[in-house]
Amino acid sequence: MSNARTARLTRRGLLAAGGALGLGAVLTACGDDGAKDGGADTKGSAKTGPWSFKDDRGTTVKLDEAPRNIVAFTGVAAALYDYGIEVKGVFGPTTTKDGKADVQAGDMDVSKVTVLGNVWDQFNVEKYAALAPDVLISTMFDDAGTLWYVPEASKDKIAKLAPSVGISVFDRQLTGPLQRMWELAESLGADMTAAKVTEAKKRFEAASERLRKAAKAKPEIKVLVGSASPELFYVSGSNLSVDLEYFKALGVNFVEPTEAAKKATGGWFESLSWENVDKHKADVIMMDDRSSAIQPADITEATWKQLPAVKAGQIIARSTEPILSYDKCVAPVEALAEAIEKARKVS
């Protein structure tokens, strides 16, 4: 992102812009302002009677019946879709410039949902009201209960139109939010005994065991987690992000930012100029797959091309904002396990 643009972004804006790796970045540094298959065969019958759900803010939402008009952050909607729950509206990265589904939309048919906002700080309140929402659902990347991609300027207006549910993805392992999304989907009427659902969970568990074994067999393989912007390369720390905390618990040997860098960014990441992109030695590099980040094939910097891991072709994508269904979390775990299994020591 450009320096001018950075100056205009709030701390949350920097997270969404793609430069800050692992999302909740720069909380300290920037101050305190603030139809593919996938859903059809697991579609649950609507529950009858009162509905309630206690979210990760400790807030219990109570309705006379299970919500039907659901509006959610794109990634949350994608997770619910995998469990057979479809939403009416979404906000967050949903479509790319060519109109195709963004990576964060998963298997959703994006032509069948109302997009209230496709980029950071964009949320059409009038369209939201017209949907007559029963509930709004999003994730949270801090411990203050801030709903991801709900704009600061309009959050009060949005809050008056429907109750909200927040699922935390801050400073915990991936299995926690996965379980919470499972519980939420079940409460909304999803059939959690469907073969597709139970088999996905088994595949995730098998992939996790594979990664554990790979990391144990090759503890010398160092994994760096990066994200690219035009001016800077960001190196993520393994704390705070749900996927990295989980992978580290399974034994993955991550490259860590310097202590000074972590202190400056609230523990999230270290920013490097492209001239200094070789500061940390790594054998495998995981790169931010979001559309807001520059993808490896499009990086033209000579210093990047000279990195040992790049020259060895030991680069994989990272689902920086994982879609919180077991089905969608299998591939990232398997990819890292395979990368470590095949990796040569090049650092």
Side-chain angles (χ1 to χ4, degrees):
M1 77 190 83
S2 68
N3 293 333
R5 184 183 178 195
T6 300
R8 290 186 280 107
L9 291 172
T10 65
R11 67 177 187 178
R12 292 171 63 214
L14 279 164
L15 316 188
L21 190 67
L23 301 176
V26 293
L27 298 183
T28 301
C30 291
D32 201 29
D33 56 342
K36 298 175 183 177
D37 67 6
D41 62 349
T42 62
K43 183 80 173 178
S45 58
K47 287 192 172 183
T48 59
W51 178 84
S52 68
F53 187 82
K54 185 175 182 179
D55 75 0
D56 291 338
R57 299 169 297 184
T59 300
T60 300
V61 177
K62 297 181 179 181
L63 300 174
D64 292 338
E65 60 181 6
R68 298 175 183 271
N69 293 346
I70 302 171
V71 172
F73 171 67
T74 303
V76 170
L80 292 176
Y81 183 86
D82 285 350
Y83 292 132
I85 303 298
E86 297 183 21
V87 307
K88 292 295 181 68
V90 296
F91 54 95
T94 306
T95 58
T96 57
K97 292 180 180 179
D98 58 6
K100 296 180 180 180
D102 187 275
V103 65
Q104 292 185 250
D107 289 336
M108 281 194 301
D109 183 344
V110 296
S111 70
K112 294 183 178 180
V113 293
T114 298
V115 182
L116 303 175
N118 199 55
V119 297
W120 182 258
D121 231 19
Q122 184 184 87
F123 191 113
N124 191 312
V125 181
E126 289 72 25
K127 280 188 177 182
Y128 178 56
L131 290 174
D134 294 320
V135 68
L136 179 149
I137 310 172
S138 190
T139 47
M140 303 181 295
F141 284 90
D142 60 26
D143 56 6
T146 306
L147 295 174
W148 192 233
Y149 267 79
V150 174
E152 186 72 21
S154 55
K155 68 176 184 179
D156 293 338
K157 291 181 181 179
I158 294 168
K160 291 177 181 178
L161 293 170
S164 62
V165 168
I167 301 297
S168 181
V169 286
F170 174 70
D171 195 17
R172 59 200 65 204
Q173 292 182 28
L174 178 60
T175 45
L178 274 172
Q179 179 61 29
R180 292 295 283 144
M181 193 63 69
W182 175 289
E183 294 166 0
L184 176 60
E186 185 173 38
S187 79
L188 293 169
D191 180 6
M192 309 314 282
T193 65
K196 179 175 181 177
V197 173
T198 57
E199 289 170 5
K201 188 173 184 180
K202 290 178 181 178
R203 287 190 293 113
F204 175 80
E205 291 167 348
S208 297
E209 183 58 26
R210 179 182 174 183
L211 178 55
R212 186 194 304 276
K213 291 179 179 178
K216 184 177 182 179
K218 289 188 171 182
E220 73 281 3
I221 297 299
K222 295 181 180 181
V223 179
L224 182 146
V225 184
S227 184
S229 76
E231 290 86 13
L232 296 169
F233 182 81
Y234 302 89
V235 178
S236 177
S238 61
N239 293 326
L240 305 182
S241 298
V242 293
D243 59 332
L244 304 186
E245 286 204 11
Y246 183 56
F247 299 158
K248 183 169 68 173
L250 292 175
V252 176
N253 180 10
F254 283 110
V255 171
E256 299 288 352
T258 64
E259 288 303 317
K262 287 196 291 186
K263 183 177 181 180
T265 62
W268 287 93
F269 70 98
E270 176 178 9
S271 56
L272 300 174
S273 66
W274 284 102
E275 290 77 10
N276 295 313
V277 74
D278 60 352
K279 178 179 178 179
H280 300 288
K281 308 303 179 184
D283 305 295
V284 173
I285 301 178
M286 300 174 67
M287 290 293 289
D288 188 347
D289 72 350
R290 293 176 297 173
S291 55
S292 54
I294 300 176
Q295 297 306 300
D298 298 320
I299 299 175
T300 59
E301 301 290 340
T303 48
W304 162 262
K305 294 180 179 180
Q306 291 304 309
L307 292 177
V310 175
K311 294 172 72 174
Q314 296 178 172
I315 312 294
I316 62 171
R318 176 201 176 196
S319 297
T320 305
E321 295 185 52
I323 293 173
L324 298 172
S325 71
Y326 284 101
D327 180 71
K328 292 300 178 292
C329 286
V330 172
V333 181
E334 287 184 336
L336 182 53
E338 182 177 9
I340 293 175
E341 290 166 353
K342 295 181 177 180
R344 294 185 291 112
K345 182 69 179 174
V346 294
S347 65

